[in-house]
Amino acid sequence: GIMITMVHELLHIYSMKNTDNNLPAPINEAMTEYFTMKSFKYSEIDSIRMAGYPLEIQIMMALSEKISEKDLLDIYFSQNEGKLKSLMKKYFPNTNYTDFLSKMTDIFNSTFHVNGAFNSFDKGLINHEKVKDIRKMLGLNDRKFTVIF
């Protein structure tokens, strides 16, 4: 809804206010959407259902399984890609960051440029194959959500 969009856009403004750094767009949008939904305290499944970036938010959920919320907030509000790379190397040592970013970019581009805005209520977007692929790249098992439709 409109409140979600307003919070999302305000987070963009605040995250870039005091820095000249910029996270890559796919990471920036994923983090913005993730923290937007966290601010409303929605369940993970409801966050995915309501997200404008439903696949990207699931990737952030995956990263948050090993990278602390505090570190993710610091990366986001400082727009510090170097810290993200460093923490990914620490917590996901077998993941090539360039390959990860390439897959994130593919997801980001398909969110709007190929399919138009996803219908987040489409149950096929929960544990989507592209999300499973990145989770596998990160060395994480598939995420189990309790889904009630």
Side-chain angles (χ1 to χ4, degrees):
I2 193 151
M3 288 301 293
I4 291 171
T5 302
M6 286 176 52
V7 170
H8 179 103
E9 296 308 324
L10 282 170
L11 281 173
H12 277 306
I13 291 167
Y14 287 121
S15 72
M16 296 180 185
K17 186 176 180 178
N18 295 316
T19 183
D20 292 329
N21 299 330
N22 287 302
L23 288 168
I27 304 291
N28 192 322
E29 287 300 339
M31 291 185 117
T32 303
E33 196 73 354
Y34 176 76
F35 290 123
T36 296
M37 294 306 174
K38 288 290 241 178
S39 74
F40 285 98
K41 298 186 182 338
Y42 290 130
S43 69
E44 288 184 332
I45 202 72
D46 285 340
S47 293
I48 296 165
R49 286 179 171 163
M50 291 186 271
Y53 296 91
L55 303 185
E56 291 87 341
I57 199 170
Q58 291 174 80
I59 305 306
M60 288 308 306
M61 290 173 182
L63 293 180
S64 74
E65 289 177 33
K66 297 214 175 171
I67 301 175
S68 75
E69 188 107 340
K70 179 183 179 303
D71 282 331
L72 290 172
L73 281 164
D74 181 56
I75 290 163
Y76 181 66
F77 283 105
S78 64
Q79 294 287 297
N80 188 338
E81 186 181 18
K83 183 170 182 176
L84 176 61
K85 287 179 183 178
S86 168
L87 289 173
M88 285 192 66
K89 187 172 186 171
K90 176 180 177 180
Y91 293 111
F92 307 102
N94 297 321
T95 302
N96 178 293
Y97 179 79
T98 303
D99 293 343
F100 170 79
L101 185 57
S102 175
K103 288 178 185 281
M104 284 291 296
T105 301
D106 175 56
I107 289 171
F108 175 71
N109 288 338
S110 69
T111 298
F112 289 105
H113 300 288
V114 176
N115 300 323
F118 280 136
N119 173 358
S120 299
F121 290 94
D122 175 359
K123 60 186 170 191
L125 296 177
I126 297 166
N127 283 325
H128 188 277
E129 289 305 315
K130 290 183 178 187
V131 173
K132 288 181 179 182
D133 183 45
I134 289 184
R135 288 186 66 82
K136 183 178 179 183
M137 171 189 262
L138 294 171
L140 299 171
N141 294 325
D142 286 349
R143 186 71 179 258
K144 305 295 183 218
F145 293 103
T146 303
V147 183
I148 301 168
F149 286 96

